[in-house]
Amino acid sequence: MRAIRFLVPLAATAAAIALVPLAATGGTDDRLFIGISLHFTGPTTTAGTFVMSGEVEDSGASSVEHLSVVPIGNSDMARLSGDQAYVGEKGTIFTHFEGHAFPLTSPHQVGKGSIDILGGTGAYAGIDGNATFLIVVDVTTNQLIGTASGNVAG
């Protein structure tokens, strides 16, 4: 169960980062690339930092709430979901992510899935987009490292 809790926040963070609006910087390409570094702050929360590149260039703090990891039958996989916020110098982006976490019995887990951008503030007001994320969780050191990439508009 502890391993599942770690994987979900990491995936959420990666997902949220990928959805950051690219149009907010006025570039001509709608691609966005995100890197995140998180740690668990509770059973359903994570916190850490992010960096965005591509159409949007920003960095700052990121947090995941409502992290959920639900085991799938007798498998070593789980459904994961959560809500992630990216607070940068230019504004805040709100996302929701869903995906799968595996292997649940390992201290080194993987989370992968998709991210939907729910909205934003400041330069990110009116953003829209989606992305995919991949995150790796080390339960023994409380470290979640991930990336995301996608397309944004707004």
Side-chain angles (χ1 to χ4, degrees):
M1 183 74 162
R2 182 175 183 205
I4 293 175
R5 290 182 190 158
F6 284 101
L7 181 57
V8 174
L10 178 60
T13 301
I17 292 175
L19 295 179
V20 176
L22 301 174
T25 61
T28 59
D29 186 2
D30 66 348
R31 296 291 297 163
L32 176 66
F33 303 92
I34 303 168
I36 58 168
S37 176
L38 302 170
H39 61 276
F40 287 98
T41 57
T44 63
T45 59
T46 67
T49 59
F50 76 93
V51 176
M52 293 180 264
S53 185
E55 187 68 15
V56 173
E57 293 185 2
D58 206 347
S59 62
S62 182
S63 61
V64 173
E65 295 185 349
H66 312 293
L67 181 60
S68 174
V69 179
V70 179
I72 300 171
N74 292 327
S75 73
D76 205 17
M77 293 185 81
R79 287 182 189 84
L80 69 89
S81 63
D83 299 313
Q84 189 165 2
Y86 298 88
V87 182
E89 291 183 18
K90 300 172 186 174
T92 301
I93 297 169
F94 302 100
T95 66
H96 176 77
F97 64 91
E98 294 186 3
H100 291 91
F102 58 91
L104 300 178
T105 56
S106 174
H108 299 124
Q109 301 172 12
V110 174
K112 57 190 282 188
S114 61
I115 301 167
D116 288 319
I117 296 175
L118 304 176
T121 65
Y124 307 118
I127 67 164
D128 187 23
N130 56 64
T132 59
F133 70 89
L134 175 64
I135 191 158
V136 178
V137 178
D138 185 337
V139 177
T140 63
T141 63
N142 191 21
Q143 185 175 20
L144 298 83
I145 302 292
T147 62
S149 64
N151 296 297
V152 295

